[in-house]
Amino acid sequence: MERMEKDTFGEISVDASKFWGAQTERSLRNFKIGTDKMPLEVIDAFAFLKKACAAVNAAEGKLDEGKRAAIAKACDEIISGKLDEHFPLVVYQTGSGTQTNMNVNEVVAYVAKEQSGLNIHPNDDVNMSQSSNDTFPTAMHIAAYQLIHKMLLPELDKFEAVLKEKKEAFMEIVKIGRTHMQDATPLTLGQEISGYEAMIRRSKQFIEESSKALLPLAIGGTAVGTGINASRNFGDKVAAELQKLTGIPFSSDENKFFALTSHSPLNYTHGALRSLASDLMKMANDVRFLASGPRSGIGEITIPANEPGSSIMPGKVNPTQAEALTMVAVQVMGNDTTINMASSQGNLELNVYKPVIIFNFIQSVRLLSDGMRSFRMHTLYGLEANRDVIETKLENSLMLVTALNPHIGYEKAAQIAKAAHANGTTLREEAVKSGFLTGEEFDEWVDPLKMTNL
């Protein structure tokens, strides 16, 4: 069954089981582009915003208390997830996000009207004192901040905790270091992992700090930043109401013209996400290099065998979690390019790439959170040291000769290393043969554990 809905373009038929109105229906028909839907995090952010705006409009005497209560109740239903099916619009729509703003307005108005019996209008009541141009960027900030703090930062805490456990467990296992993919001086496996732990800790700090740029909101700017059709302090009042609803210290941006035309806060914050992706790429690649083998690779660590790795090679096990995490990292880096390019399109009074910015931002947060959780549960927890391989490679390394530099000098130490490599002998053998030092001096000076400065 269908019902007729009306907007300034006239009547249009809508599926009677759906709660949206004419403007949503027109968008649904006119923008059949891809399968990516507007993220529900944005819809939930809109629901918080519409509820806050209704409260302020009622307090200012512009909105009837009965309508305010009905709007608030409808918004609560959206936030609860009960109405998810009524938000069908794709990302690739109007660049201001107007159609999603109207989708929310129409669903809130329909539900509020049905439940209260009051004549609630999507524009005049739900969108009172607002414009898509200030509500959509406000919803972008709310959604981005909430998701970072509810999903990504908690996972970073858990990820860091596992790395800390591994660091402490492996702190005294001495292994050969590698620079330029060549043998270098020793360090411990725990020291190596401490580098990854610090990566995650610092990324967490960068993300937490940069997310503060999202706290100022565009609300109150309305169409072009002047605040037309809204009270002078409307933005401040809505931000205060949002603080009550979310517990987040949102504020009204001091310059609404900036807030409408620039998305540098999201671009800046996503830069911290890209930095995290870079660190995860490096760490995941290191893990798969160190676990390579099992017999013909480096093989200094072992990782869990979660599933068969090959459809043709029996018994093969691959570092699939590392591969998945590095693909996540690549996607986030691509998203950063998209967000950076889209943020540069703040033409005149309005950036009109808003939907694609927030879609990519939310995808990055979700992918990083999910990818790290999967890697943590299926790889990090089960990562172990292969002590036999570590000891063998350490004993055979030529770079232990570096410990002789202070005693016999760089040139003589280099001669010993080159002779051992050419002759297939040990450093100790060539050191004694050179006459530069005795076997006893070699044993005293070349101590791998001392070389780690542990």
Side-chain angles (χ1 to χ4, degrees):
M1 293 181 61
E2 295 187 337
R3 70 176 190 277
M4 299 304 294
E5 290 285 341
K6 186 178 181 180
D7 62 8
T8 56
F9 270 58
E11 290 190 331
I12 188 171
S13 62
V14 175
D15 185 333
S17 68
K18 305 304 181 185
F19 296 167
W20 61 74
Q23 292 196 47
T24 302
E25 185 65 28
R26 293 189 197 284
S27 178
L28 197 58
R29 297 184 187 186
N30 292 338
F31 294 90
K32 296 180 178 180
I33 304 174
T35 59
D36 295 323
K37 305 292 185 184
M38 186 61 63
L40 289 173
E41 290 85 358
V42 175
I43 304 302
D44 289 347
F46 259 113
F48 279 113
L49 178 59
K50 298 296 176 180
K51 184 176 180 179
C53 288
V56 174
N57 283 320
E60 291 183 345
K62 296 178 181 178
L63 185 68
D64 176 82
E65 173 58 26
K67 289 185 176 182
R68 182 212 64 78
I71 289 172
K73 185 178 179 182
C75 289
D76 287 340
E77 291 200 10
I78 292 174
I79 294 166
S80 73
K82 293 179 181 177
L83 304 179
D84 289 354
E85 65 178 289
H86 302 288
F87 301 98
L89 300 187
V90 296
V91 171
Y92 302 99
Q93 51 167 280
T94 171
S96 62
T98 298
Q99 289 150 8
T100 287
N101 180 42
M102 283 308 304
N103 184 191
V104 175
N105 289 334
E106 289 175 345
V107 171
V108 170
Y110 181 93
V111 173
K113 183 177 181 179
E114 289 292 306
Q115 292 180 345
S116 69
L118 299 172
N119 184 23
I120 297 175
H121 193 278
N123 292 86
D124 296 337
D125 296 317
V126 184
N127 202 59
M128 181 184 288
S129 306
Q130 306 155 58
S131 164
S132 299
N133 295 352
D134 67 345
T135 59
F136 198 88
T138 296
M140 292 166 74
H141 280 213
I142 295 171
Y145 189 93
Q146 285 185 318
L147 199 60
I148 284 173
H149 284 260
K150 288 182 179 179
M151 179 178 259
L152 182 56
L153 292 177
E155 176 53 42
L156 281 163
D157 284 336
K158 295 174 184 175
F159 204 90
E160 182 186 356
V162 176
L163 287 171
K164 184 175 184 291
E165 290 175 7
K166 296 296 179 181
K167 174 193 73 176
E168 293 172 352
F170 303 149
M171 186 52 73
E172 296 186 359
I173 300 177
V174 184
K175 55 161 285 181
I176 196 64
R178 294 177 181 84
T179 59
H180 304 271
M181 292 302 290
Q182 302 293 310
D183 296 353
T185 56
L187 76 167
T188 74
L189 183 56
Q191 288 174 323
E192 191 167 41
I193 291 175
S194 76
Y196 307 143
E197 180 195 18
M199 281 182 186
I200 298 302
R201 182 172 60 255
R202 294 183 189 185
S203 284
K204 183 177 64 175
Q205 292 169 350
F206 297 154
I207 293 168
E208 200 162 17
E209 186 62 31
S210 65
S211 71
K212 293 177 182 177
L214 304 174
L215 294 174
L217 304 176
I219 193 67
T222 66
V224 297
T226 62
I228 187 172
N229 292 347
S231 64
R232 184 170 293 276
N233 297 321
F234 185 76
D236 292 322
K237 294 175 182 178
V238 172
E241 192 66 28
L242 282 167
Q243 286 190 44
K244 296 178 188 176
L245 295 175
T246 65
I248 300 169
F250 290 118
S251 63
S252 179
D253 200 299
E254 62 182 15
N255 190 306
K256 304 300 190 298
F257 307 102
F258 164 81
L260 268 61
T261 198
S262 174
H263 287 303
S264 60
L266 283 156
N267 194 14
Y268 170 68
T269 306
H270 195 274
L273 302 184
R274 172 188 45 75
S275 179
L276 170 61
S278 298
D279 283 342
L280 292 173
M281 170 74 86
K282 186 255 189 288
M283 184 183 67
N285 275 331
D286 282 0
V287 167
R288 61 175 163 184
F289 289 148
L290 292 173
S292 60
R295 295 188 177 180
S296 299
I298 296 176
E300 291 183 344
I301 62 173
T302 61
I303 57 177
N306 296 314
E307 66 276 316
S310 172
S311 62
I312 190 173
M313 291 175 279
K316 195 174 192 296
V317 177
N318 294 331
T320 51
Q321 290 294 325
E323 292 163 4
L325 189 57
T326 53
M327 284 192 285
V328 163
V330 168
Q331 182 64 54
V332 172
M333 292 173 190
N335 288 351
D336 193 67
T337 299
T338 298
I339 290 171
N340 194 35
M341 289 293 295
S343 295
S344 73
Q345 303 304 307
N347 303 323
L348 305 178
E349 277 64 61
L350 187 70
N351 178 294
V352 290
Y353 289 71
K354 299 182 192 300
V356 78
I357 290 173
I358 193 59
F359 173 78
N360 281 274
F361 192 104
I362 287 175
Q363 185 187 66
S364 290
V365 177
R366 283 201 166 279
L367 285 176
L368 287 168
S369 303
D370 291 347
M372 290 176 67
R373 184 181 66 253
S374 185
F375 189 81
R376 169 173 57 84
M377 294 175 64
H378 302 295
T379 293
L380 279 189
Y381 273 136
L383 186 151
E384 296 294 341
N386 191 339
R387 292 173 182 265
D388 290 341
V389 171
I390 287 174
E391 289 173 7
T392 298
K393 291 185 182 298
L394 179 65
E395 290 170 3
N396 290 334
S397 173
L398 298 177
M399 290 304 100
L400 297 179
V401 77
T402 306
L404 297 179
N405 288 358
H407 303 284
I408 64 173
Y410 181 93
E411 298 295 339
K412 291 178 180 178
Q415 290 179 38
I416 293 171
K418 289 180 179 180
H421 182 58
N423 299 328
T425 52
T426 67
L427 287 175
R428 192 179 190 283
E429 288 177 89
E430 293 298 336
V432 173
K433 188 188 299 184
S434 71
F436 298 146
L437 67 162
T438 66
E440 290 73 19
E441 287 173 326
F442 183 93
D443 294 338
E444 180 184 350
W445 295 338
V446 182
D447 183 337
L449 181 59
K450 287 181 181 177
M451 293 175 73
T452 69
N453 279 329
L454 188 63

